[in-house]
Amino acid sequence: MEPPVRPASTGTIIHGVAVGEVLGVSTLAGARLIAGERGLDRVVQRLNVMEVPDVLAWVKPHELLLTTGYPLRNTPQSLGRLVADLDERGLAALAIKLGRYLDELPEEMVEQADRLGFPLIQLPDNVGFDDILNQVLTDILNRQAAVLARAEEAHRALVQVVLAGGGLREVTAEVAGLLGVGVAVLDGTGHVLAAAGPVEHMATLREAPGAPEGHHTSVPVVAGGHHHGRIVACGPVGSIGDGDVGILERAATVAALVVTRQEAVNAVESKYRADFLRDVLTGRAGGSERVASRARAFGWDLQRPVTVLVAELDPEGDERAAQDRLVTCWTGAMRRHDVRGAVAGFSHEVVTVVDASVDAGRLAKDAAAAFAESLPATFSTGASRTAIGAEALPEAYGQALKAARVGRQLHGNGAVAHFDQLGVYRLLSLVNDTAELHAFVRETLGPLASDDDAENADLRRTLQVLLETNLNVAETARRLHFHYNTLRYRIGKLERMLGGFTEDAHLRLNLTLALHVLRMRGI
């Protein structure tokens, strides 16, 4: 079956009648189908008259071509090829008056028409082309007017649904009632947002787009240049016609309006949620009872033992689009792990408050997997200690934020770090005066604190491995791939620069801390 003809906005005739229906009009009562019976469902949208030999340059798709046979009288040997050329150009059918210029059609032409399913019609002698043109065109225009009127009526009904506050569920119910088939609105991932229609069609609807060809028709839902999904109608083969496609397109426009409206509402609600959660995490939201009451209004439970998670975009992916997607991915992941958890997007991070029993690492992994499917950016995640009560949330938020930033410094982009697992870095991160930390590094490491000399980084690495192996020279030489005597020379040089750390345990402690602070540079 030929696919539905999509409505256009140019004012041209876009609906038509089948060739079989054309043969039923009164002026063609005496017409006879010579060949091409399989093509009787071809759609006629316009008519044309062929009385010149080079008509192929002027024909258009979906035309019923009328001829007396005059331009064909001297070239009977090419008539078989003519059928193939007309079929290739998408014509609906060829209607010929025989007897005056052409007594009969060549057998080759008839056979070709049957093979292609291209209707060849013999016109009665007593009917003028003007009568055929007037009656068929009137029928086509009346058909189009009826289809457009039906689509306009459907559009008004759908707009009234939206004006009355209806959503996608009400829109699909209205369309299903108008068309008598199953109708659904799907998001960009194929998830059904709303569905309605006869029970017998719903199973086919759930299989779309895997349903057999002819059972379903879909139209994209587009708003503001963004593709929001599609609206799908499913029913028996042949139950969705040209006019139904027009109604689906009107419904898609209304669905886009509903989606846009819901996005605007969600944006406002998201701002309120983010503002409230920010107040809670900074201790400005009021007493416990007030916080608990407002949290319940958002569907959150902040009174139970919880963990605060902070996800920050890594520097390479700090874009607005990535931030919006990050919020979406964390919201979806959190809903799968804890339906009463809170999640909100701030300017440069996403904060999630979940039940303390939730595996923070697995939650972050789920969010990262969803995030990676759409964007190449990455984010780092920090988790707090367990917090009980709204009063403990500000401290937990600070812990999660530090864990995210320290984890990125220690392990690179995409790290997941828990505050309790930071070890000495947790203590160092609690020092708010970073200038004092840097002064400590300069005083302890002296010239090794900077990279002014290319050899400094190499010497720091030697010092770090020595301290990690508890001054085991043989093991250090093995790790660094140095000769034993070479390492002995380097140890001597380090002691001349830093002091006798091989004999001074306190100096070794200071050197270890200074190297840790250097590793946390930028925090």
Side-chain angles (χ1 to χ4, degrees):
M1 177 179 292
E2 190 168 329
V5 180
R6 303 283 175 164
S9 58
T10 59
T12 57
I13 295 175
I14 42 121
H15 296 286
V17 295
V19 174
E21 295 178 82
V22 170
L23 290 174
V25 301
S26 59
T27 54
L28 294 177
R32 182 175 69 89
L33 181 68
I34 300 174
E37 184 177 0
R38 287 189 297 107
L40 289 179
D41 59 349
R42 292 186 180 219
V43 175
V44 177
Q45 293 181 347
R46 52 179 69 86
L47 286 85
N48 196 357
V49 177
M50 176 177 67
E51 296 299 359
V52 293
D54 60 343
V55 71
L56 287 175
W58 309 102
V59 296
K60 298 176 181 178
H62 300 290
E63 278 187 346
L64 171 59
L65 192 59
L66 308 175
T67 182
T68 61
Y70 179 79
L72 309 176
R73 68 191 188 285
N74 296 323
T75 57
Q77 69 280 3
S78 65
L79 294 184
R81 180 61 200 168
L82 175 65
V83 169
D85 290 338
L86 295 177
D87 178 70
E88 184 178 331
R89 284 163 174 76
L91 264 71
L94 175 64
I96 306 176
K97 280 191 175 184
L98 297 176
R100 188 169 183 181
Y101 300 109
L102 199 63
D103 292 331
E104 62 181 7
L105 298 179
E107 190 64 29
E108 179 188 355
M109 185 177 185
V110 175
E111 292 176 357
Q112 179 81 308
D114 275 328
R115 279 197 302 271
L116 297 174
F118 182 83
L120 291 179
I121 302 168
Q122 180 180 347
L123 296 173
D125 291 334
N126 60 344
V127 177
F129 283 175
D130 58 340
D131 294 330
I132 298 174
L133 290 167
N134 286 335
Q135 190 168 13
V136 175
L137 281 176
T138 298
D139 197 3
I140 291 174
L141 291 173
N142 287 341
R143 182 74 58 88
Q144 174 161 326
V147 169
L148 293 176
R150 182 169 176 250
E152 188 61 31
E153 181 181 353
H155 183 71
R156 285 196 296 269
L158 291 168
V159 170
Q160 287 300 316
V161 168
V162 176
L163 291 177
L168 293 178
R169 182 181 302 174
E170 289 74 19
V171 169
T172 54
E174 184 71 24
V175 178
L178 289 168
L179 302 184
V181 297
V183 177
V185 176
L186 284 64
D187 64 15
T189 64
H191 175 69
V192 177
L193 301 177
V199 175
E200 61 270 22
H201 298 162
M202 298 310 289
T204 305
L205 186 60
R206 283 190 290 270
E207 295 170 3
E213 185 178 354
H215 283 265
H216 69 87
T217 299
S218 67
V219 174
V221 176
V222 181
H226 298 289
H227 191 284
H228 295 280
R230 55 201 171 93
I231 185 167
V232 182
C234 288
V237 174
S239 63
I240 304 172
D242 295 356
D244 298 333
V245 175
I247 291 176
L248 276 181
E249 291 188 330
R250 301 295 181 95
T253 301
V254 174
L257 176 64
V258 173
V259 170
T260 303
R261 181 187 66 185
Q262 188 58 49
E263 285 184 345
V265 171
N266 290 342
V268 173
E269 290 182 349
S270 178
K271 183 180 184 304
Y272 279 123
R273 286 194 296 268
D275 288 346
F276 171 62
L277 188 56
R278 185 182 289 107
D279 287 343
V280 171
L281 297 177
T282 56
R284 299 197 303 263
S288 298
E289 291 186 4
R290 183 172 183 273
V291 170
S293 176
R294 291 194 62 186
R296 282 194 296 271
F298 290 122
W300 302 344
D301 182 359
L302 303 182
Q303 297 302 103
R304 57 187 173 160
V306 296
T307 301
V308 177
L309 303 176
V310 171
E312 277 192 326
L313 281 171
D314 294 321
E316 292 80 0
D318 194 8
E319 300 175 359
R320 186 67 228 173
Q323 179 69 16
D324 293 340
R325 182 60 186 163
L326 186 63
V327 175
T328 301
C329 293
W330 270 95
T331 301
M334 190 271 293
R335 292 287 176 242
R336 292 190 292 273
H337 288 263
D338 182 8
V339 294
R340 295 185 299 161
V343 60
F346 297 166
S347 58
H348 298 292
E349 64 201 38
V350 175
V351 180
T352 307
V353 183
V354 297
D355 190 281
S357 63
V358 171
D359 185 335
R362 185 173 180 182
L363 173 57
K365 184 178 180 181
D366 287 354
F371 189 67
E373 289 178 0
S374 56
L375 291 170
T378 59
F379 61 86
S380 296
T381 306
S384 73
R385 294 170 172 166
T386 299
I388 302 176
E391 298 85 355
L393 290 177
E395 181 180 358
Y397 170 61
Q399 293 170 357
L401 191 59
K402 288 173 181 174
R405 294 177 180 176
V406 173
R408 180 190 293 116
Q409 290 293 323
L410 298 180
H411 308 297
N413 293 345
V416 179
H418 194 287
F419 186 73
D420 275 341
Q421 296 172 351
L422 297 179
V424 70
Y425 297 103
R426 184 178 79 217
L427 298 177
L428 294 174
S429 69
L430 296 176
V431 179
N432 294 323
D433 190 349
T434 56
E436 187 64 32
L437 283 176
H438 293 157
F440 170 73
V441 171
R442 289 193 300 272
E443 293 168 4
T444 306
L445 293 180
L448 293 185
S450 70
D451 289 328
D452 295 339
D453 189 328
E455 189 183 16
N456 288 348
D458 196 26
L459 288 173
R460 283 201 305 269
R461 173 62 177 159
T462 301
L463 176 62
Q464 180 179 332
V465 177
L466 273 170
L467 295 172
E468 288 175 355
T469 61
N470 197 25
L471 302 182
N472 187 323
V473 178
E475 176 62 18
T476 302
R478 187 189 66 80
R479 288 194 191 181
L480 296 176
H481 307 289
F482 287 161
H483 189 276
Y484 184 86
N485 292 334
T486 301
L487 183 57
R488 279 293 183 188
Y489 168 78
R490 282 179 168 251
I491 293 174
K493 187 171 183 178
L494 284 169
E495 288 201 308
R496 288 192 297 273
M497 297 173 68
L498 305 174
F501 64 86
T502 58
E503 303 294 335
D504 189 340
H506 292 291
L507 179 54
R508 289 198 298 274
L509 175 60
N510 288 342
L511 291 171
T512 301
L513 289 175
L515 290 172
H516 284 322
V517 172
L518 265 185
R519 196 176 178 194
M520 292 172 59
R521 182 177 295 165
I523 298 175

